[in-house]
């Protein structure tokens, strides 16, 4: 494409070219975001960094920042080496993420494939499956996880026999197969935590479903004519076509798992700031946490995007 | 020879049919099971909300209460100050959802249709907003709205910055500037939707002398209704249930999430004022109150979902969120 300027000179006056007018309109439409990002979001980020490096005292008309000890790194050092819970919770959050996210991805992909087929009562099944997106969010999730009575009545732990079934099955698996114990534990935790997985995978099912429906049926027709089986169709057409969404969904699930309200470390940061009134320490903890999230996202994103197939002809 | 191939074909056909029949049974069982897992906790909540405390510890009672009572609802309605907080939450969520729908649509349209300098970097900023956990900017936001000032104007007039806590302004400001709850996701979804729309209509309108804003209002908005309903529903519901920003900005104002969070404690304090014999809050009582409150908070959402459901599923299907 030829590069054009945004302005032109007409009779000595500066006028907008067509491209310039388009750019102006685009910026005009994006203005709310630009104001929000540069006027509110970015200053907040900068302030948050500066809080984490300083001690804050609140007064009636404002607050005063003084530089923290150890060149300002006092709070970071405290969070990582002195705080008894922080490291453990950080590790726990990361481990939880790594066990949960693959399960969520597999489950939501499977469910999207099921819901994409034609059967009686599909509309009803869809509305019920999207219900958790609506109902089990925010404060309800927190209440549900802290409710002692409800957890004993949840489907997984309704009776003692259910749990012992899981134990028996995993015992049998251990005895008669060569599967490593860690894999069996993983499976058992997946079965046990099915409710939390279903609840966390609403948006992902939506995204996969939208992707599945955007695959053109002519691809399947052509390959069936050539004699491909359904199994081959799945791996040669559906899977590559959906792979960009696997990337989107895994990133979304990772963020969702890290920022959900049931996450222990999130609660910890909030209580450090508002209950214990340690502003600097809380901000430092939040930043350490965010750096961890960022690194994990980068690694996972680059690993998956290597295998993603982009169908460029369609665009 | 001919006859044997014929019988073989018949057999294969029946085998395929049997396979398909088996699969539909398996599929039905899986879907029914998952629907049950989703619905069961809701039923439990509903049934617990009608029980008296005795039933909770009675092992013979599972779903149908023995001592049917509406007492929980009476207590919860009073403890949550339900009707007032319902109205407040309705106004707040409606306002926030509408404002952020409008601003996110404008921004998404800008990103989908126009070329302008630094567009890629700016869109990366949208994604960045999605990734940064709100806990990082929680404290600065709190301080910002606690000591709110635009270029020192309020300080010059009032002598001190204004506190916007316990008002709706922080929510509205964040919604209008696309920095609210998950607004990055909304912009992303809407942009994908607009990108998938055919350009010809807009070009025709432009040739006929429509300005760009007019094209947006007259052509884009009518054809984007299902997607708009979806985004509105998301925004409304997440604001309705959000305890993060509400507990940050609203300390004294009762809205549903705040009321729900403190329900058992506030009802208990009323109990003890009567000189009741409860020296501690029993877990059964907490659970009863929480479940009743959750049901009360969910009812408006369920109604809304049932109304919007058709648009919702359609909007999701047509969003075509691809890479």
């Amino acid at each position: 494409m030829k590069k054009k300027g945004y302005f032109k000179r007409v009779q000595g006056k500066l006028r907008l070219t067509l491209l310039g007018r388009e750019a102006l309109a685009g910026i005009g439409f994006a203005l709310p975001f630009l104001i929000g990002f540069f006027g509110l979001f970015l200053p907040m980020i900068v302030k948050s960094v500066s809080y984490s490096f300083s001690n804050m005292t609140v007064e009636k008309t404002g607050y005063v920042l003084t530089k923290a000890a150890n060149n300002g790194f006092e709070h970071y050092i405290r969070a990582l080496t002195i705080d008894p819970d922080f490291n453990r919770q950080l590790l726990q959050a990361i481990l939880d993420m790594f066990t949960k996210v693959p399960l969520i991805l597999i489950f939501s992909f499977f469910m999207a494939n099921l819901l994409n087929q034609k059967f009686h009562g599909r509309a009803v099944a869809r509305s019920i499956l999207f219900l958790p997106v609506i109902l089990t969010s925010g404060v309800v999730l927190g209440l549900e996880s802290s409710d002692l009575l409800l957890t004993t009545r949840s489907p997984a732990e309704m009776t003692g026999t259910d749990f012992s079934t899981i134990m028996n099955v995993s015992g049998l698996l251990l005895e008669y197969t060569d599967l490593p114990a860690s894999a069996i534990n993983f499976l058992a935790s997946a079965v046990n935590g099915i409710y939390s997985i279903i609840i966390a995978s609403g948006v992902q099912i939506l995204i996969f479903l939208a992707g599945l429906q955007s695959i053109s049926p002519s691809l399947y027709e052509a390959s069936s004519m050539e004699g491909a089986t359904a199994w081959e169709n799945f791996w040669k057409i559906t899977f590559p076509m959906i792979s960009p969404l696997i990337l989107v969904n895994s990133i979304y699930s990772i963020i969702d798992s890290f920022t959900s309200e049931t996450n222990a470390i999130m609660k910890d940061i909030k209580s450090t700031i508002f209950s214990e009134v340690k502003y600097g320490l809380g901000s430092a903890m939040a930043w350490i946490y965010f750096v961890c999230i960022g690194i994990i996202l980068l690694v996972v994103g680059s690993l998956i995007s290597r295998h993603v197939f982009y169908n460029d002809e369609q665009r | 020879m001919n006859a044997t191939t014929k019988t073989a074909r018949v057999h294969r056909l029946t085998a395929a049919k049997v396979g398909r029949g088996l699969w539909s049974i398996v599929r039905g069982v899986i879907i029914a099971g998952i629907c049950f897992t989703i619905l069961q906790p809701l039923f439990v909540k509903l049934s617990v909300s009608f029980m008296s405390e005795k039933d909770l510890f009675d092992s013979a009672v599972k779903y149908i209460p023995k001592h049917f009572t509406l007492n929980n609802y009476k207590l919860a309605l009073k403890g949550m100050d339900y009707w007032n907080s319902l109205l407040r939450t309705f106004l707040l969520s409606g306002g926030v959802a509408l404002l952020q729908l409008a601003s996110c649509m404008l921004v998404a349209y800008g990103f989908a249709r126009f070329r302008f300098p630094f567009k890629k970097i700016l869109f990366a900023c949208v994604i960045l907003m999605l990734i940064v956990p709100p806990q990082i900017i929680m404290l600065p936001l709190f301080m910002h709205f606690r000591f709110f000032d635009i270029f020192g104007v309020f300080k010059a007039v009032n002598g001190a910055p204004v506190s916007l806590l316990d008002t709706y302004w922080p929510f509205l400001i964040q919604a209008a500037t696309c920095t609210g709850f998950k607004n990055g996701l909304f912009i992303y979804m809407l942009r994908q939707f607009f990108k998938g729309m055919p350009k010809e209509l807009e070009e025709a309108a432009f040739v006929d002398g429509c300005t760009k804003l007019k094209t947006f209002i007259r052509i884009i908005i009518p054809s984007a209704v299902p997607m708009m309903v979806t985004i509105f529903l998301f925004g409304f519901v997440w604001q309705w249930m959000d305890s993060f920003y509400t507990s940050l900005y609203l300390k004294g104002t009762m809205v549903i999430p705040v009321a729900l969070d403190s329900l058992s404690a506030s009802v208990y304090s009323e109990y003890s004022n009567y000189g009741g014999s409860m020296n501690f809050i029993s877990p059964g009582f907490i659970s009863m109150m929480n479940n009743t409150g959750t049901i009360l908070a969910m009812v408006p959402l369920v109604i809304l979902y049932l109304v919007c459901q058709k648009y919702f599923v359609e909007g999701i299907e047509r969003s075509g969120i691809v890479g």
Side-chain angles (χ1 to χ4, degrees):
Chain A
M1 210 190 76
K2 209 165 52 174
K3 181 129 176 87
K4 283 193 274 181
Y6 293 108
F7 299 100
K8 64 182 173 189
R9 245 173 221 292
V10 181
Q11 297 166 343
K13 281 181 184 172
L14 224 49
R15 289 275 174 83
L16 284 169
T17 59
L18 205 59
L19 195 66
R21 243 187 272 164
E22 190 186 328
L24 193 66
I27 290 176
F29 272 112
L31 204 60
F33 170 71
L34 297 182
I35 295 173
F37 188 78
F38 292 106
L40 193 61
F41 191 75
L42 214 55
M44 293 303 121
I45 295 270
V46 173
K47 265 191 203 169
S48 171
V49 176
S50 77
Y51 288 175
S52 73
F53 283 111
S54 43
N55 294 315
M56 184 200 284
T57 43
V58 179
E59 290 161 15
K60 245 188 186 157
T61 54
Y63 51 85
V64 183
L65 295 176
T66 47
K67 201 176 173 195
N70 285 334
N71 279 333
F73 279 99
E74 186 202 355
H75 299 303
Y76 286 90
I77 294 169
R78 175 173 281 273
L80 285 175
T81 59
I82 301 178
D83 193 301
D85 291 329
F86 184 71
N87 283 331
R88 190 174 49 76
Q89 279 174 347
L90 191 65
L91 207 65
Q92 189 61 43
I94 291 170
L95 277 180
D96 278 355
M97 191 281 292
F98 273 113
T99 49
K100 243 179 113 177
V101 167
L103 289 173
I104 289 175
L105 282 178
I106 293 168
F107 175 77
S108 55
F109 188 53
F110 178 72
M111 280 321 291
N113 270 304
L114 269 191
L115 287 180
N116 199 31
Q117 296 175 350
K118 284 207 165 64
F119 56 88
H120 290 293
R122 180 167 79 155
V124 178
R126 276 189 188 176
S127 344
I128 292 176
L129 264 158
F130 299 150
L131 209 59
V133 182
I134 304 292
L135 291 186
T136 320
S137 55
V139 64
V140 175
L141 205 58
L143 281 184
E144 225 169 51
S145 67
S146 67
D147 196 325
L148 288 171
L149 214 95
L150 212 63
T151 46
T152 59
R153 279 168 188 255
S154 72
E157 287 159 57
M158 185 109 89
T159 48
T161 51
D162 288 347
F163 186 66
S164 67
T165 321
I166 290 172
M167 290 305 285
N168 283 340
V169 170
S170 46
L172 283 176
L173 280 175
L174 264 180
E175 216 168 307
Y176 294 109
T177 60
D178 287 336
L179 287 172
S182 56
I184 290 169
N185 273 336
F186 182 72
L187 277 180
S189 74
V191 174
N192 220 8
I194 185 76
Y195 179 64
S196 63
I197 289 166
I198 290 177
I199 287 236
S201 50
V203 175
Q204 287 88 330
I205 295 177
L206 290 180
I207 291 176
F208 272 138
L209 197 58
L212 282 176
Q213 285 178 341
S214 72
I215 301 175
S216 128
S218 58
L219 283 175
Y220 292 107
E221 270 169 35
S223 77
S224 301
M225 294 288 269
E226 304 280 347
T229 58
W231 178 251
E232 281 166 339
N233 273 347
F234 178 80
W235 286 108
K236 297 269 161 68
I237 298 176
T238 313
F239 199 68
M241 292 295 278
I242 213 84
S243 60
L245 293 184
I246 296 181
L247 177 65
V248 172
N249 263 346
S250 50
I251 288 177
Y252 181 84
S253 314
I254 291 173
I255 297 167
D256 204 40
S257 132
F258 273 135
T259 55
S260 81
E261 305 211 10
T262 50
N263 200 329
I265 205 157
M266 283 296 174
K267 285 183 195 158
D268 196 34
I269 290 172
K270 202 167 179 181
S271 73
T272 308
I273 291 180
F274 287 104
S275 311
E276 299 171 34
V277 209
K278 289 175 184 161
Y279 298 118
L281 183 60
S283 302
M285 281 157 101
W287 272 102
I288 295 171
Y289 189 51
F290 178 56
V291 168
C292 290
I293 297 176
I295 291 170
I296 289 171
L297 278 177
L298 268 183
V299 171
V300 171
S302 64
L303 276 182
I304 296 178
S305 62
R306 245 185 245 170
H307 302 283
V308 165
F309 167 82
Y310 285 106
N311 185 17
D312 281 321
E313 286 166 346
Q314 260 198 344
R315 273 158 231 202
Chain B
M1 187 66 200
N2 201 10
T4 49
T5 48
K6 220 174 201 173
T7 50
R9 195 176 294 154
V10 169
H11 273 291
R12 210 180 294 144
L13 264 180
T14 48
K17 255 183 199 163
V18 168
R20 226 173 290 150
L22 274 178
W23 170 235
S24 69
I25 291 171
V26 171
R27 186 174 57 198
V29 169
I30 292 174
I31 286 177
I34 286 167
C35 289
F36 172 75
T37 332
I38 292 171
L39 291 178
Q40 194 263 358
L42 292 179
F43 287 138
V44 169
K45 279 189 195 105
L46 199 62
S47 76
V48 166
S49 72
F50 287 114
M51 287 179 192
S52 64
E53 207 177 337
K54 272 184 233 157
D55 290 358
L56 293 176
F57 301 107
D58 189 344
S59 59
V61 175
K62 259 207 168 126
Y63 292 116
I64 300 165
K66 227 184 227 171
H67 305 273
F68 182 86
T69 171
L70 288 173
N71 200 26
N72 295 329
Y73 281 97
K74 269 181 211 151
L75 282 175
L77 281 176
K78 206 170 168 198
M80 283 167 86
D81 191 10
Y82 184 68
W83 298 111
N84 286 329
S85 28
L86 188 73
L87 185 69
R88 278 191 212 112
T89 320
F90 202 81
L91 289 178
L92 176 66
S93 302
V96 165
L98 278 180
L99 252 180
Q100 75 189 8
L101 176 66
S103 58
C104 286
M105 274 183 79
L106 283 173
V107 173
Y109 187 66
F111 274 114
R113 276 292 189 265
F114 302 103
R115 279 168 294 168
F116 53 88
F118 307 116
K119 186 174 150 183
K120 280 208 169 137
I121 299 174
L122 287 175
F123 195 68
C125 292
V126 174
I127 302 299
L128 182 75
M129 244 168 53
L130 188 58
I131 292 175
V132 173
Q135 277 80 353
I136 280 197
I137 56 166
M138 169 175 72
L139 179 59
L141 275 176
F142 181 77
M143 289 296 169
H144 183 73
F145 290 116
R146 170 71 186 81
F147 305 108
F148 188 74
D149 216 342
I150 304 171
F151 304 124
V153 173
F154 289 117
K155 195 159 192 172
V157 176
N158 280 354
V162 217
S163 162
L164 291 183
L165 299 182
D166 277 327
T167 64
Y168 296 154
W169 284 111
F171 298 97
L172 298 181
I173 289 171
Q174 280 195 302
T177 55
C178 297
T179 44
F181 202 54
K182 296 211 178 171
N183 280 9
L185 182 70
F186 298 154
I187 294 178
Y188 182 77
M189 284 170 76
L190 282 166
R191 186 190 81 128
Q192 293 309 109
F193 178 77
F194 288 143
K195 271 193 147 182
M197 278 172 64
K199 256 185 179 174
E200 284 76 14
L201 267 176
E202 291 154 62
E203 276 162 11
F206 186 63
V207 169
D208 282 349
C210 243
T211 59
K212 282 179 174 127
L213 192 64
K214 227 177 183 177
T215 315
F216 178 72
I217 294 170
R218 291 269 171 84
I219 306 231
I220 299 294
I221 290 184
S223 49
V225 169
M227 196 63 195
M228 283 164 67
V229 172
T230 310
I231 301 284
F232 177 82
L233 194 64
F234 271 141
F236 188 87
V237 165
W238 282 339
Q239 178 59 49
W240 186 278
M241 287 295 187
D242 169 53
S243 63
F244 181 78
Y245 283 122
T246 44
S247 64
L248 194 63
Y249 297 143
L250 303 174
K251 281 274 146 62
T253 319
M254 281 284 246
V255 286
I256 294 269
V258 177
L260 197 53
D261 229 10
S262 59
L263 176 63
S264 50
S266 64
V267 173
Y268 165 69
S269 71
E270 205 155 282
Y271 245 52
S272 56
N273 282 346
Y274 290 128
S277 57
M278 290 199 332
N279 292 323
F280 67 102
I281 319 181
S282 85
F285 183 72
I286 294 177
S287 169
M288 250 163 37
M289 279 299 113
N290 282 345
N291 286 318
T292 318
T294 309
I295 292 288
L296 280 176
M298 274 177 176
V299 166
L301 294 185
V302 172
I303 294 169
L304 190 73
Y305 182 63
L306 289 180
V307 171
C308 299
Q309 193 250 105
K310 198 181 127 228
Y311 286 110
F312 180 63
V313 174
E314 193 183 338
I316 286 301
E317 279 174 6
R318 295 211 335 215
S319 65
I321 313 167
V322 178

